[in-house]
Each structure stands twice: as C-alpha cells, then as structure tokens.
Amino acid sequence: MLVNSLKTVGLLGLLTGLFIVIGGAIGGQAGMIIALVLAVVMNMGAWWFSDTLALKMSGAQEVSPDEAPELHAMVEELSRRAGIPKPRVYIIDTDAPNAFATGRDPAHGAVAVTTGIARLLTREELAGVIAHELAHIKHRDTLISSIAATIAGAIGMLADMVMWGLIFAGLGGSDEEDGGIAGLVGGILTAMLAPIMALIIQMAISRSREYMADAGGAQILGNPLPLASALEKLEWAAGRMPMEDVRPATAHMYIVNPVLGGLASLFRTHPETHKRISRLRAMANRGNNTAVAI
C-alpha cells in the first residue's frame, strides 16, 4: 500500500511539472494563474457535488433499511470494521453486476450496487465488493481524483491558450517570426500532446488507487479471496452484460470497467482485472486469513 501511495504522489508531481512546463509556454504568469484559478473553481465545484452528480447520472435510488435490510446490515458491519461512518446505500436497477462508492469524505459517503450484483455473487463475495468500496471512501479517493482532475483540467486550459495563441501568431506574422513554421507546428503539437499526457497520468493515478482499495477491502473483510472471486465473476459479466448507458464521467468509479473494448481499453481507469486477482491471491498466500462472518 505504501508503494501505491508513493506512486500516487509521484504521478501528481508529474502532473504538476507538466502544468508548469505548458504554463511557461504562455510567456508569463498572469495567464497561468487565471487558468489555474478557473480550473480549481470548476473541479472543486465538481468535487463538492460529485456524490450527487454521480448518483443521479447512474440512476441510483437510495434505499432504507426496511427496503434492503441485509444490504444495510452488511454495509453497517463493514463500516464498523473500517472505522468510518456508515455511508448511504443506493441501488441501481440494472442486470449488469457492478458497484461504486462516492462522497467527498467519509462523513458524506455513499455506496451504490446494481440489482444484478446480488444475483451473481455469493454473500461473501458481495461483502468483499462492499469492503473495497468502503476502502475508497476511507482513503478519500474522491479527493485525490479531484486534485488530479484539477491539475489535468488546468493543463487542458493552458494548452488551449497556447494553441490559439500560436495559431493567431502564425496567421498574423511571416515565416521568420518566432521561429517560423517549425516553431508554430512544434508549439501546436506540444499543446495537443500535453492534455493527452495529463489524461494518461490521471488514469494511472486512478489505477493505483484501485490497487489500494483492493488491499484495503481485503483488510477490512479479513480475507482477500472473496474479493478476488468477485472480481473474476464481475469481469466475466462485464464482457457479456456491459452497462451501455453508463456515462464516461462515472465509468472510473465502478469496481470493474462497466464497458470493455474500444476506447475503454485504450484509456483504462482500472488495472487489468487478472492482475488485481493475482495480487489478492498472493495476499492470501502470505497471511493467515480470518473467517468471513458478515
């Protein structure tokens, strides 16, 4: 877990460095500061309302203990083990088995599961999934994702400023000015590639947090094997019952990629599932696992 924490810090540092580099291309601090302030305001607003937006976009409906007593009892027990307040509980009406957590901090957490997940998984496997989602809440992964999004968003805004500045400079001057055509093309390519690099780094941060949530969920449950088994089933189901209506803005929140193939595979927000399963089984081989009693 320490390695993944250091990896997250390093990736955030790379994002910051990329931001400084592209900001310097503007030729002054004023534009960089304005772009950063705007990006921070937009992303902090998104972070503050992230739980509400994510739940609404996914079609999740909050359920009471009377409506889902077993699910509430499971979430309450696992929250006690995790040492966090019990999050709100939501259900998404779809046959595709999946789950996600949201909330800007442990006091404002929410866990959402699909109706299909309970039909696919055993009780112990579902407990492993819930424990994984509670680990996300405990680790404040929404906050970390928002920081990464803030910096990546600022890079995108600065890149746009650089690109349009270079285009207008090229249209308004001769080939010899400011390095000529070669400088113009180089600047435009830099402005185009910087946001892509920022996105790749942002996705790497997301993948690192998934590994941490797997380890944290296994610790909360006391046994990594139910989560490993659940991931195996969920990956199989995602390839056969993709969540076709899922929004790209919320895809990274689910425990497994809700849509596989195409661009979803090119810009993976999750580690490859077989690698996650291997890590969990290696954890089981290293330690003495307690019996799951949920």
Side-chain angles (χ1 to χ4, degrees), residues 1-12 132-133 135-146 148 201-217 252-255 269-271 276 279:
M1 192 174 294
L2 177 61
V3 172
N4 281 319
S5 295
L6 293 174
K7 182 179 178 181
T8 300
V9 172
L11 289 169
L12 286 172
H132 169 99
E133 300 305 337
H136 272 310
I137 296 174
K138 184 175 182 178
H139 297 160
R140 298 175 184 265
D141 285 337
T142 302
L143 172 61
I144 293 171
S145 296
S146 296
I201 295 171
Q202 188 181 353
M203 295 301 98
I205 291 173
S206 177
R207 292 192 292 270
S208 177
R209 305 310 294 180
E210 285 300 318
Y211 280 131
M212 291 189 66
D214 285 344
H252 70 283
M253 301 174 63
Y254 288 87
I255 188 168
T269 57
H270 296 63
R276 298 169 65 184
R279 289 194 179 201

Side-chain angles (χ1 to χ4, degrees), residues 11-289:
L11 289 169
L12 286 172
L14 282 176
L15 269 180
T16 304
L18 185 59
F19 169 76
I20 293 172
V21 168
I22 194 69
I26 295 178
Q29 294 184 349
M32 182 172 61
I33 293 173
I34 292 172
L36 176 60
V37 170
L38 289 174
V40 169
V41 170
M42 288 189 298
N43 283 282
M44 288 305 293
W47 168 69
W48 188 262
F49 298 106
S50 61
D51 52 349
T52 302
L53 292 172
L55 292 165
K56 284 186 176 181
M57 285 191 290
S58 64
Q61 298 293 324
E62 187 170 6
V63 291
S64 67
D66 291 335
E67 294 171 306
E70 292 187 5
L71 182 59
H72 268 273
M74 181 182 293
V75 172
E76 184 171 7
E77 170 59 21
L78 290 170
S79 299
R80 183 190 65 78
R81 295 187 187 188
I84 61 173
K86 178 188 174 186
R88 292 168 291 153
V89 179
Y90 288 78
I91 289 180
I92 304 169
D93 187 15
T94 176
D95 290 333
N98 223 311
F100 72 83
T102 186
R104 61 183 180 271
D105 56 47
H108 298 87
V111 172
V113 299
T114 66
T115 52
I117 198 170
R119 291 194 290 267
L120 178 69
L121 304 184
T122 66
R123 181 176 176 82
E124 289 75 16
E125 290 167 345
L126 180 58
V129 169
I130 298 296
H132 169 99
E133 300 305 337
L134 294 178
H136 272 310
I137 296 174
K138 184 175 182 178
H139 297 160
R140 298 175 184 265
D141 285 337
T142 302
L143 172 61
I144 293 171
S145 296
S146 296
I147 293 172
T150 297
I151 302 174
I155 289 171
M157 295 181 69
L158 289 178
D160 285 343
M161 294 170 63
V162 171
M163 178 176 288
W164 288 110
L166 287 169
I167 290 174
F168 286 121
L171 292 175
S174 64
D175 291 350
E176 290 77 21
E177 292 178 348
D178 299 325
I181 295 297
L184 176 62
V185 172
I188 291 176
L189 286 175
T190 300
M192 291 175 62
L193 292 175
I196 296 175
M197 293 174 61
L199 177 62
I200 292 173
I201 295 171
Q202 188 181 353
M203 295 301 98
I205 291 173
S206 177
R207 292 192 292 270
S208 177
R209 305 310 294 180
E210 285 300 318
Y211 280 131
M212 291 189 66
D214 285 344
Q219 185 176 14
I220 292 169
L221 189 62
N223 187 348
L225 293 179
L227 177 56
S229 178
L231 289 173
E232 197 166 36
K233 289 183 179 180
L234 292 171
E235 180 77 1
W236 173 87
R240 290 157 180 78
M241 292 183 290
M243 298 180 69
E244 297 178 355
D245 296 332
V246 71
R247 305 287 183 87
T250 61
H252 70 283
M253 301 174 63
Y254 288 87
I255 188 168
V256 297
N257 285 354
V259 181
L260 299 178
L263 291 178
S265 298
L266 182 60
F267 295 101
R268 290 185 66 98
T269 57
H270 296 63
E272 292 179 273
T273 304
H274 70 88
K275 293 182 179 179
R276 298 169 65 184
I277 293 170
S278 295
R279 289 194 179 201
L280 288 166
R281 288 176 176 165
M283 288 177 60
N285 292 333
R286 288 195 302 267
N288 296 321
N289 301 312

